[in-house]
Amino acid sequence: MVLGQLGGSITRALQQMSNATIIDEKVVSECLNEISRALLQADVQFKMVRDMQANIKRIVNPDDLAAGHNKRRIMQKAVFDELCRILDPGKPSYTPKKGKTSIIMFVGLQGSGKTTTCTKYAHYHQKKGWKPALVCADTFRAGAFDQLKQNATKAKIPFYGSYMESDPVKIAAEGVERFKQENCDLIIVDTSGRHKQEAALFEEMRQVSEATKPDLVIFVMDSSIGQAAFDQAQAFKQSVSVGAVIVTKMDGHAKGGGALSAVAATKSPVIFIGTGEHMHEFEVFDVKPFVSRLLGMGDWSGFMDKIHEVVPTDQQPELLQKLSEGSFTMRLMYEQFQNMLKMGPIGQVFSMLPGSSSELMPKGHEKESQAKIKRYMTMMDSMTNDELDSTNPKLMNESRMLRIARGSGRSVREVVDMMEEFKRLAKIWSKMKGLKIPKKGDMSALSRNMNAQQMSKALPPQVLKQMGGMGGLQNLMKQMGNKDLGGMFGGER
Ligand SMILES: Nc1nc2c(ncn2[C@@H]2O[C@H](COP(=O)(O)OP(=O)(O)OP(=O)(O)O)[C@@H](O)[C@H]2O)c(=O)[nH]1
């Protein structure tokens, strides 16, 4: 995602400002110009950037930026708040209710990822116990029905469409009626797209909307369309009552600023983002963590919330204690492997630690990876309690490795491989050492309790670089004692 570059540019602009000996209007203006340039480069619409600049100038009082005050924090918070304000239209979108029929119509240009997104949306709800169904009202593109049919079959979602019927309005109405009879609670209507905004497309969309009376119209937008986002989104909004936005292809080279424009143009919130071609590459969109990431601030709240969300309450203290101790043992690795195989909750948390499971269980190689993990576990079954509980990798000398290989019927090479994996995971685990775990939602407590060294180890290297290295991070950390900054990390404010 190119979004990270935006964070880097903004951080640098703020850094330059706080380095200045005298902060006057000129320095503030320069800083704001720099930030505006970065936003424009990220495809945020020109008018929005201009308004934002004016707002920040109004909010930030030059006296507050005088010596002794934390200038960088004040500016950063103003930028953060402004971006959140733009992305939050102030009212939530229509929320379907499980068990009660809702009709959701998807609109967007051809190739925006509409059909893929319809299935992702259905699949997301299906996993949560809904009864979704898909209707293909795209009669314009040959193959659209086949694509939807294929996706729907793979995800085991009922679908409706026709090879013969050329009237999309008729298909949409029939499909919706059929699935109402079948008591589906989420009826998703995929409509035609065109290469560009055309009168015929909008007329067809309007008619489908009239015939199906959707509870929610979702506008699907490809994040790489750049500055064209605002006009495109507005054109759709003028034809049908768009109530929510889904931004796709956020995994590519998209600059992401278009998302801000789509919200402004439709006055509707972004509800999900697409992060890949596969069904599960679909994320709920949350404004604050998104802006944190946009500003290169990292998303600690996501990690901590995940712990609170997926780990049973009685297991939380133990896991958090182990994380904070940072000492990794073979036994802990064994338990994590067990959990990963079961896809148990701790396995999920473990897999969120940077670099931990993507290497151990690369996508598309799950079977081989599982077999490897099982082999490792067999070898660990031949280890003594002392070996399992030791934090000293030197304990594993040649004769111990030979014994384990013999005992488990595996080769010494495999035992050595397992030890390498152990060292790699222990290194990742140790980055969490000293982490004091805040109460749910209180992220500022987390930031207060980490020192710059610990944080720098835990941050991805490119993010650290964007923050101006260790120096930049230390500066930032100094500002983090303040509760207000907790909001930047998605916590309570
Ligand atoms: N990388 C990436 N690719 C995506 C994403 N969403 C969709 N795609 C791909 O984008 C291409 C177009 O997606 P479709 O779902 O066919 O687009 P559409 O808007 O339905 O197109 P029409 O039916 O012609 O209007 C496909 O190759 C998808 O796999 C995403 O979030 N990330």
Side-chain angles (χ1 to χ4, degrees):
M1 229 193 277
V2 185
L3 283 179
Q5 286 171 9
L6 172 62
S9 311
I10 293 180
T11 311
R12 268 192 302 281
L14 293 168
Q15 180 74 52
Q16 271 164 15
M17 185 198 72
S18 45
N19 283 348
T21 18
I22 299 165
I23 306 268
D24 52 18
E25 258 191 75
K26 186 165 163 275
V27 174
V28 173
S29 280
E30 267 169 22
C31 173
L32 274 176
N33 286 340
E34 200 56 47
I35 292 172
S36 300
R37 253 196 301 280
L39 289 168
L40 285 172
Q41 272 168 11
D43 285 337
V44 180
Q45 195 210 17
F46 175 73
K47 184 179 169 302
M48 273 159 72
V49 174
R50 203 187 48 201
D51 291 352
M52 183 174 162
Q53 194 167 5
N55 281 348
I56 294 179
K57 265 194 180 148
R58 222 185 28 244
I59 298 162
V60 176
N61 178 355
D63 294 341
D64 287 344
L65 295 173
H69 285 76
N70 205 329
K71 313 144 212 165
R72 185 168 153 155
R73 184 184 68 75
I74 293 167
M75 276 297 265
Q76 203 164 29
K77 186 171 179 319
V79 175
F80 179 83
D81 286 347
E82 270 299 295
L83 287 174
C84 287
R85 192 185 56 78
I86 297 171
L87 273 169
D88 184 355
K91 62 174 172 52
S93 72
Y94 165 84
T95 321
K97 289 200 174 54
K98 204 194 284 185
K100 185 180 166 288
T101 304
S102 294
I103 298 161
I104 316 289
M105 177 173 153
F106 277 68
V107 299
L109 286 191
Q110 190 170 44
S112 58
K114 206 166 14 71
T115 305
T116 312
T117 306
C118 281
T119 329
K120 284 179 175 177
Y121 184 80
H123 179 67
Y124 172 86
H125 286 90
Q126 190 187 42
K127 274 194 309 187
K128 291 182 175 283
W130 293 63
K131 209 180 153 201
L134 290 161
V135 178
C136 177
D138 182 354
T139 52
F140 178 75
R141 181 168 67 91
F145 178 42
D146 273 334
Q147 188 192 352
L148 185 102
K149 197 168 138 184
Q150 218 174 41
N151 289 349
T153 311
K154 224 193 282 168
K156 298 193 176 64
I157 297 162
F159 59 91
Y160 184 87
S162 167
Y163 291 110
M164 316 299 284
E165 180 56 64
S166 60
D167 180 3
V169 182
K170 191 155 177 271
I171 297 182
E174 281 172 6
V176 167
E177 205 39 52
R178 152 92 69 97
F179 292 127
K180 269 187 187 168
Q181 303 290 332
E182 293 180 10
N183 285 327
C184 291
D185 49 10
L186 203 60
I187 306 175
I188 299 160
V189 183
D190 186 15
T191 60
S192 304
R194 298 282 197 278
H195 279 307
K196 53 186 170 46
Q197 300 144 30
E198 290 167 359
L201 163 72
F202 291 122
E203 181 50 28
E204 180 183 309
M205 237 167 45
R206 232 182 25 75
Q207 288 180 14
V208 172
S209 169
E210 250 167 43
T212 56
K213 309 230 167 346
D215 297 289
L216 174 67
V217 177
I218 299 180
F219 169 59
V220 178
M221 191 193 81
D222 179 336
S223 57
S224 61
I225 61 163
Q227 288 286 341
F230 189 89
D231 290 343
Q232 192 191 102
Q234 200 170 43
F236 276 88
K237 175 80 177 179
Q238 279 162 0
S239 293
V240 278
S241 55
V242 171
V245 178
I246 296 183
V247 185
T248 63
K249 308 185 194 178
M250 290 293 275
D251 49 309
H253 295 293
K255 296 175 180 172
L260 279 71
S261 308
V263 173
T266 58
K267 301 195 173 47
S268 313
V270 177
I271 50 172
F272 288 96
I273 53 172
T275 54
E277 296 194 20
H278 298 289
M279 200 84 77
H280 59 275
E281 288 168 324
F282 194 58
E283 292 175 17
V284 172
F285 181 84
D286 264 335
V287 173
K288 280 180 186 166
F290 176 79
V291 176
S292 301
R293 273 191 278 175
L294 195 74
L295 297 180
M297 308 293 292
D299 181 16
W300 281 101
S301 66
F303 177 67
M304 296 313 298
D305 284 350
K306 188 84 182 173
I307 290 192
H308 289 298
E309 181 194 320
V310 300
V311 181
T313 325
D314 59 330
Q315 288 181 28
Q316 282 179 18
E318 200 193 333
L319 175 73
L320 296 178
Q321 180 64 31
K322 283 174 180 167
L323 266 174
S324 69
E325 284 167 4
S327 47
F328 195 62
T329 61
M330 279 289 195
R331 193 183 298 283
L332 206 45
M333 180 159 95
Y334 192 93
E335 285 166 9
Q336 299 309 327
F337 284 170
Q338 260 176 335
N339 282 313
M340 271 173 109
L341 290 180
K342 274 191 288 182
M343 268 328 275
I346 296 184
Q348 282 184 37
V349 172
F350 188 62
S351 68
M352 284 181 66
L353 295 178
S356 81
S357 81
S358 50
E359 283 184 40
L360 196 61
M361 260 202 192
K363 269 192 203 163
H365 297 276
E366 285 82 3
K367 268 217 174 92
E368 293 96 308
S369 312
Q370 286 202 352
K372 186 167 79 179
I373 288 177
K374 280 184 188 152
R375 274 201 309 279
Y376 287 169
M377 289 172 80
T378 318
M379 292 185 262
M380 283 190 266
D381 282 336
S382 287
M383 291 173 88
T384 63
N385 278 339
D386 279 354
E387 287 163 352
L388 285 172
D389 292 322
S390 166
T391 51
N392 175 16
K394 291 201 179 113
L395 179 78
M396 296 305 294
N397 57 25
E398 225 177 285
S399 75
R400 284 179 191 263
M401 288 209 223
L402 264 172
R403 195 205 74 238
I404 294 166
R406 261 199 312 272
S408 58
R410 313 294 325 182
S411 68
V412 177
R413 176 74 248 159
E414 284 175 297
V415 180
V416 173
D417 279 354
M418 176 185 68
M419 288 314 298
E420 288 303 312
E421 188 59 48
F422 170 73
K423 278 186 211 154
R424 197 180 69 79
L425 290 174
K427 206 166 151 197
I428 295 167
W429 197 266
S430 70
K431 288 176 184 167
M432 299 293 147
K433 190 172 179 178
L435 195 68
K436 297 237 173 62
I437 310 301
K439 284 200 300 283
K440 189 171 167 63
D442 190 354
M443 290 313 301
S444 56
L446 171 67
S447 44
R448 272 200 298 276
N449 285 324
M450 277 181 102
N451 64 34
Q453 194 103 39
Q454 286 159 347
M455 186 111 166
S456 73
K457 282 189 213 158
L459 284 171
Q462 68 275 27
V463 173
L464 184 64
K465 203 166 142 211
Q466 280 159 11
M467 291 173 107
M470 200 54 196
L473 180 63
Q474 268 163 345
N475 263 334
L476 188 67
M477 299 289 287
K478 268 191 230 150
Q479 302 156 14
M480 290 175 76
N482 190 299
K483 186 120 178 78
D484 280 349
L485 213 80
M488 286 199 185
F489 290 81
E492 287 168 352
R493 293 181 332 118

